[in-house]
Amino acid sequence: MLIQRAAIAGVQVLGLAVWFSMSAVVPSLRTEWGISAGAAVWLTASVQLGFVTGAVGATVLNLADRVRPHLLLAISAATGATLTLVLGLTVDGLAAAIPLRFLTGVALAGVYPVGMKLMASWSEPKDRGKALGVLIGALTLGSALPHVFGQLPWREVLVAAAAIAFLGAITALTLVRPGPFLTATTAQLNPRYAVQMFRERKPRLVNLGYFGHMWELYALWTWLPTFLISAQKPVGLTVFLTMGVAGAVGCLVGGWAADRFGRAPAAVGALTVSGLCCLLSPLAWGTPLLIAFCAVWGAAVIADSGVFSASLSEVADPRYVGTALTALTAVGFGLTVVSIQLVPLLAELVTWRYAFLLLVPGPVIGALAMLRTRS
């Protein structure tokens, strides 16, 4: 069981290295390609839209519940790696980069949600929060990993990210297998289950809590480098340490708290801390404490992600857990496209110091929804 959990988490670290590979090199690309900040947004937003498209398609077809999940995971990671490699070796402008990034997002829809189902399949309910906390921690490290190489030429960063993702695909194919604690497959195609899930009270509230969480998460991850630059703070390694390392620690603490104190209290605690960080970000901007503040924020903003996944895996129809998790992420990542677009627009009006105030409603709504799951 521990070997399988470690392998699944390892695939997430490796396979998701391509997700923010372009975000890590945006400053270089803006100079080399002569693109504006608004145009550069689409290097991340296109991945999010591709992920939503892939997740919706997988939901309708129940792919995560009808295809052997470790094979789907391996194919998806390899596809994302191939697309990133092609971009790094051949592309010289946005016109070709954006379609390739969109397709990369489609591929990643077979990495993250499928990884959640596989991890849940190797976890009894009593420790599923910790297990999914480990998985989300792996996602956090993988997403932040390209920032470690951000000082290299941008093509080398993408080639390195692609090589890492290929290693993830090989790991999924050779080591990962489904576990005994969830139904592995279903013989019946049921594209309506995603809609049926939202008609049930507890799944609906868990989804709403997750949507509030996602409103904040990816906008923060996308724009934190720009926020730090505006405050004249170092970026590359700082982002990896505050979002990646601190985020991974937050995931582990969040998963432990979910199993120890319950899903709702753990989620509400994390959402409260991250919401306060949104609110207090203008005060921390430019101060010597900003990096420490970002480390706390980086831990809190992702700490509840595994909690939502664990919660939904327990209240959804056990035959369609993969479909439920994929639908959850499809809508959640759709919201990230909106918040990612709006943050720089607000920054143009009020400066980057106040831009993250836009994210406050997300954790507030998420916390209120999770509080209602207890009644």
Side-chain angles (χ1 to χ4, degrees), residues 92-114:
D92 290 306
L94 281 179
I98 289 176
L100 285 171
R101 294 300 287 163
F102 176 86
L103 292 173
T104 301
V106 174
L108 293 177
V111 176
Y112 174 34
V114 176

Tab-separated table of all heavy atoms in Angstrom, residues 92-114:
chain	number	residue	atom	x	y	z
A	92	ASP	N	7.893	29.584	-31.767
A	92	ASP	CA	8.508	30.913	-31.661
A	92	ASP	C	7.490	32.024	-31.435
A	92	ASP	O	7.806	33.195	-31.632
A	92	ASP	CB	9.310	31.231	-32.929
A	92	ASP	CG	10.562	30.373	-33.029
A	92	ASP	OD1	11.355	30.375	-32.071
A	92	ASP	OD2	10.728	29.683	-34.052
A	93	GLY	N	6.268	31.702	-31.049
A	93	GLY	CA	5.283	32.764	-30.824
A	93	GLY	C	4.001	32.226	-30.233
A	93	GLY	O	3.780	31.011	-30.145
A	94	LEU	N	3.137	33.170	-29.834
A	94	LEU	CA	1.879	32.797	-29.178
A	94	LEU	C	0.954	32.006	-30.082
A	94	LEU	O	0.200	31.151	-29.603
A	94	LEU	CB	1.143	34.063	-28.706
A	94	LEU	CG	1.614	34.722	-27.409
A	94	LEU	CD1	0.781	35.956	-27.139
A	94	LEU	CD2	1.508	33.753	-26.242
A	95	ALA	N	0.968	32.274	-31.369
A	95	ALA	CA	0.015	31.642	-32.280
A	95	ALA	C	0.108	30.125	-32.225
A	95	ALA	O	-0.904	29.422	-32.323
A	95	ALA	CB	0.258	32.130	-33.712
A	96	ALA	N	1.303	29.591	-32.081
A	96	ALA	CA	1.461	28.144	-31.971
A	96	ALA	C	1.489	27.687	-30.520
A	96	ALA	O	1.079	26.572	-30.205
A	96	ALA	CB	2.749	27.707	-32.677
A	97	ALA	N	1.973	28.552	-29.621
A	97	ALA	CA	2.120	28.146	-28.223
A	97	ALA	C	0.772	27.909	-27.551
A	97	ALA	O	0.603	26.936	-26.800
A	97	ALA	CB	2.913	29.202	-27.452
A	98	ILE	N	-0.197	28.778	-27.812
A	98	ILE	CA	-1.483	28.680	-27.100
A	98	ILE	C	-2.222	27.383	-27.444
A	98	ILE	O	-2.712	26.693	-26.540
A	98	ILE	CB	-2.338	29.932	-27.367
A	98	ILE	CG1	-1.715	31.123	-26.625
A	98	ILE	CG2	-3.780	29.715	-26.930
A	98	ILE	CD1	-2.405	32.442	-26.867
A	99	PRO	N	-2.339	26.970	-28.721
A	99	PRO	CA	-2.985	25.674	-28.992
A	99	PRO	C	-2.266	24.498	-28.328
A	99	PRO	O	-2.919	23.581	-27.826
A	99	PRO	CB	-2.943	25.563	-30.522
A	99	PRO	CG	-2.836	26.958	-31.012
A	99	PRO	CD	-2.030	27.683	-29.983
A	100	LEU	N	-0.941	24.530	-28.325
A	100	LEU	CA	-0.201	23.440	-27.687
A	100	LEU	C	-0.430	23.429	-26.174
A	100	LEU	O	-0.545	22.364	-25.563
A	100	LEU	CB	1.291	23.561	-27.986
A	100	LEU	CG	1.716	23.150	-29.403
A	100	LEU	CD1	3.172	23.526	-29.659
A	100	LEU	CD2	1.515	21.647	-29.616
A	101	ARG	N	-0.501	24.601	-25.567
A	101	ARG	CA	-0.776	24.673	-24.130
A	101	ARG	C	-2.201	24.205	-23.823
A	101	ARG	O	-2.442	23.562	-22.804
A	101	ARG	CB	-0.557	26.093	-23.613
A	101	ARG	CG	0.872	26.554	-23.668
A	101	ARG	CD	1.787	25.676	-22.833
A	101	ARG	NE	1.596	25.895	-21.411
A	101	ARG	CZ	2.001	25.066	-20.457
A	101	ARG	NH1	2.603	23.945	-20.775
A	101	ARG	NH2	1.800	25.355	-19.187
A	102	PHE	N	-3.139	24.533	-24.708
A	102	PHE	CA	-4.516	24.055	-24.534
A	102	PHE	C	-4.545	22.529	-24.536
A	102	PHE	O	-5.169	21.895	-23.669
A	102	PHE	CB	-5.395	24.617	-25.643
A	102	PHE	CG	-6.813	24.108	-25.622
A	102	PHE	CD1	-7.777	24.726	-24.839
A	102	PHE	CD2	-7.181	23.005	-26.383
A	102	PHE	CE1	-9.087	24.261	-24.805
A	102	PHE	CE2	-8.488	22.530	-26.356
A	102	PHE	CZ	-9.435	23.165	-25.574
A	103	LEU	N	-3.879	21.921	-25.509
A	103	LEU	CA	-3.850	20.461	-25.601
A	103	LEU	C	-3.117	19.846	-24.418
A	103	LEU	O	-3.465	18.744	-23.960
A	103	LEU	CB	-3.204	20.041	-26.916
A	103	LEU	CG	-3.998	20.378	-28.178
A	103	LEU	CD1	-3.176	20.059	-29.427
A	103	LEU	CD2	-5.327	19.630	-28.214
A	104	THR	N	-2.113	20.547	-23.888
A	104	THR	CA	-1.440	20.071	-22.682
A	104	THR	C	-2.421	20.010	-21.519
A	104	THR	O	-2.424	19.054	-20.731
A	104	THR	CB	-0.256	20.992	-22.327
A	104	THR	OG1	0.666	21.017	-23.427
A	104	THR	CG2	0.451	20.522	-21.077
A	105	GLY	N	-3.279	21.022	-21.410
A	105	GLY	CA	-4.304	21.014	-20.373
A	105	GLY	C	-5.268	19.854	-20.526
A	105	GLY	O	-5.675	19.224	-19.533
A	106	VAL	N	-5.644	19.549	-21.773
A	106	VAL	CA	-6.510	18.392	-22.022
A	106	VAL	C	-5.848	17.123	-21.499
A	106	VAL	O	-6.476	16.287	-20.835
A	106	VAL	CB	-6.817	18.258	-23.531
A	106	VAL	CG1	-7.595	16.972	-23.806
A	106	VAL	CG2	-7.621	19.462	-24.025
A	107	ALA	N	-4.559	16.975	-21.774
A	107	ALA	CA	-3.834	15.786	-21.316
A	107	ALA	C	-3.774	15.718	-19.799
A	107	ALA	O	-3.940	14.641	-19.203
A	107	ALA	CB	-2.422	15.778	-21.905
A	108	LEU	N	-3.568	16.853	-19.145
A	108	LEU	CA	-3.438	16.858	-17.690
A	108	LEU	C	-4.738	16.494	-16.983
A	108	LEU	O	-4.715	16.108	-15.805
A	108	LEU	CB	-2.941	18.234	-17.214
A	108	LEU	CG	-1.513	18.583	-17.630
A	108	LEU	CD1	-1.146	19.990	-17.187
A	108	LEU	CD2	-0.515	17.581	-17.076
A	109	ALA	N	-5.862	16.595	-17.694
A	109	ALA	CA	-7.125	16.143	-17.122
A	109	ALA	C	-7.133	14.637	-16.884
A	109	ALA	O	-7.996	14.127	-16.159
A	109	ALA	CB	-8.294	16.540	-18.029
A	110	GLY	N	-6.182	13.928	-17.483
A	110	GLY	CA	-6.049	12.501	-17.225
A	110	GLY	C	-4.960	12.181	-16.217
A	110	GLY	O	-4.687	11.006	-15.963
A	111	VAL	N	-4.332	13.204	-15.642
A	111	VAL	CA	-3.276	12.993	-14.651
A	111	VAL	C	-3.797	13.269	-13.246
A	111	VAL	O	-3.755	12.399	-12.366
A	111	VAL	CB	-2.051	13.871	-14.955
A	111	VAL	CG1	-0.981	13.714	-13.868
A	111	VAL	CG2	-1.465	13.524	-16.324
A	112	TYR	N	-4.295	14.480	-13.027
A	112	TYR	CA	-4.684	14.886	-11.672
A	112	TYR	C	-5.924	14.150	-11.146
A	112	TYR	O	-5.863	13.476	-10.105
A	112	TYR	CB	-4.842	16.407	-11.638
A	112	TYR	CG	-5.369	16.984	-10.350
A	112	TYR	CD1	-5.043	16.417	-9.116
A	112	TYR	CD2	-6.169	18.121	-10.363
A	112	TYR	CE1	-5.516	16.958	-7.934
A	112	TYR	CE2	-6.647	18.672	-9.184
A	112	TYR	CZ	-6.321	18.080	-7.977
A	112	TYR	OH	-6.802	18.620	-6.814
A	113	PRO	N	-7.090	14.208	-11.823
A	113	PRO	CA	-8.267	13.514	-11.276
A	113	PRO	C	-8.068	11.999	-11.185
A	113	PRO	O	-8.527	11.375	-10.215
A	113	PRO	CB	-9.387	13.862	-12.271
A	113	PRO	CG	-8.912	15.080	-12.982
A	113	PRO	CD	-7.427	14.945	-13.057
A	114	VAL	N	-7.401	11.417	-12.170
A	114	VAL	CA	-7.162	9.973	-12.139
A	114	VAL	C	-6.233	9.616	-10.977
A	114	VAL	O	-6.409	8.595	-10.298
A	114	VAL	CB	-6.582	9.492	-13.484
A	114	VAL	CG1	-6.251	8.010	-13.427
A	114	VAL	CG2	-7.583	9.759	-14.613
